[in-house]
Amino acid sequence: MEKLENGGKEYIVAANWKMNMSAKAIKSFLEEMNQVEIPKHLRTIIFPPYPYLNIFQKMLRYSRITYGAQDIAKEEKGAYTGEVSADMLIDMGCSYTLTGHSERRSYYAETPEIVAEKTRAAIMHSLTPVICIGETLEQRQSGRYKEILKAQLDAVEASVRESMGVCMIAYEPVWAIGTGVIPKISEIRDTHKFIHEVLISYGGTYRKTVPILYGGSVSEKNVREIASVKYVNGFLIGGASLNAERFKTIIKLLSVD
Ligand code: PGA
């Protein structure tokens, strides 16, 4: 097994359940997870669909597993049918929210500015935003992908400025999400290094500490190798996080140095 590259630093293992699972399935998933000893250097975050947040609130009271929402309203409150505000997420015990997942950007037309506003709303309420960025296959092949990633980050930075330091970034190449295809390790290394440099370029040494997660077809087969890459500080996992056995295996693989 490759040696993990984080020099004893924390790893983040985040599960994005998207529009999956049921109350029954979640209860048994969390019962199983509550038996697992999560090592100190791992931070586990689950992002379930909104209606199930109350199950997390009840079942994870004494757990090291934390949770958050998959999305957040940019508005504070009022006539916004279907939206869920930061205050409501806090009420449900959330500590985190995703912003700018590529499915939100592409299916729900979330522009970089909307993502920035949502990220800002989260920060104002002390929720930690996990800002998802990523390029399409076409953008990767055109060689313009770094420009795209930087523009996605710049839009958020322009809105939150200093508070960028309290965010997490999830780099998820759109072409790797749910496809079983992952970038070459050298590509992940290069892109994470680039993101790190963009964060540094905003100024302020604390930006060195913003965790950069990798997402897109992460599984028990590749997690260890990707974890050994410099500037990979954790994972945002979709499909492989829906099954407690698989998720536990991933946690176990990241538990040994
Ligand atoms: P995947 O999804 O692990 O199923 O590729 C990751 C994500 O969309 O966050």
Side-chain angles (χ1 to χ4, degrees):
M1 270 203 286
E2 299 78 14
K3 185 112 179 90
L4 297 180
E5 246 304 335
N6 72 341
K9 272 205 313 245
E10 186 179 62
Y11 271 111
I12 288 129
V13 187
N16 175 13
W17 283 355
K18 311 191 180 185
M19 201 169 71
N20 292 298
M21 301 292 255
S22 64
K24 193 166 170 241
I26 290 175
K27 281 180 195 149
S28 66
F29 187 107
L30 293 184
E31 264 160 29
E32 265 198 64
M33 288 308 297
N34 275 338
Q35 314 291 320
V36 177
E37 194 163 331
I38 314 258
K40 272 212 201 69
H41 73 280
L42 279 194
R43 198 187 321 178
T44 309
I45 314 169
I46 302 178
F47 295 97
Y50 287 138
Y52 301 131
L53 287 169
N54 70 324
I55 305 179
F56 280 69
Q57 194 168 29
K58 284 196 197 107
M59 290 187 67
L60 296 183
R61 202 160 296 162
Y62 305 107
S63 169
R64 287 209 55 235
I65 300 170
T66 55
Y67 60 94
Q70 295 173 16
D71 191 23
I72 182 171
K74 57 183 171 33
E75 296 81 10
E76 287 282 311
K77 65 174 182 170
Y80 300 102
T81 303
E83 291 291 278
V84 177
S85 73
D87 272 339
M88 293 170 187
L89 298 179
I90 295 281
D91 261 355
M92 298 314 292
C94 291
S95 311
Y96 305 87
T97 181
L98 298 179
T99 60
H101 189 279
S102 70
E103 286 148 21
R104 301 291 322 167
R105 291 181 195 259
S106 64
Y107 304 151
Y108 303 97
E110 286 192 9
T111 60
E113 291 68 33
I114 293 175
V115 175
E117 283 183 71
K118 290 187 169 195
T119 305
R120 201 180 145 84
I123 292 168
M124 302 281 281
H125 292 263
S126 303
L127 287 163
T128 300
V130 180
I131 309 158
C132 305
I133 60 168
E135 81 285 358
T136 62
L137 187 57
E138 200 192 356
Q139 289 163 342
R140 162 73 55 171
Q141 286 169 341
S142 73
R144 284 177 43 243
Y145 67 97
K146 286 188 176 168
E147 231 173 89
I148 306 288
L149 297 174
K150 184 168 183 319
Q152 292 174 350
L153 288 169
D154 282 354
V156 178
E157 202 270 342
S159 164
V160 309
R161 299 286 175 194
E162 291 297 297
S163 302
M164 201 73 179
V166 302
C167 301
M168 296 187 194
I169 310 294
Y171 168 57
E172 301 202 299
V174 178
W175 47 280
I177 296 178
T179 56
V181 180
I182 61 159
K184 290 191 200 101
I185 291 296
S186 57
E187 290 173 328
I188 296 178
R189 185 182 304 113
D190 182 60
T191 313
H192 275 243
K193 183 165 180 278
F194 173 73
I195 294 166
H196 175 78
E197 285 164 359
V198 172
L199 292 170
I200 297 288
S201 76
Y202 294 143
T205 49
Y206 55 85
R207 276 165 195 150
K208 281 188 193 160
T209 62
V210 171
I212 308 169
L213 319 186
Y214 169 79
S217 294
V218 174
S219 74
E220 54 279 51
K221 294 198 183 76
N222 55 34
V223 72
R224 207 40 219 201
E225 193 183 9
I226 305 173
S228 70
V229 175
K230 194 164 182 198
Y231 302 123
V232 170
N233 309 115
F235 300 92
L236 181 57
I237 310 171
S241 73
L242 291 169
N243 175 292
E245 279 315 311
R246 294 186 71 191
F247 195 52
K248 280 193 318 199
T249 304
I250 289 173
I251 288 176
K252 213 192 242 158
L253 282 165
L254 294 173
S255 301
V256 273
D257 203 16

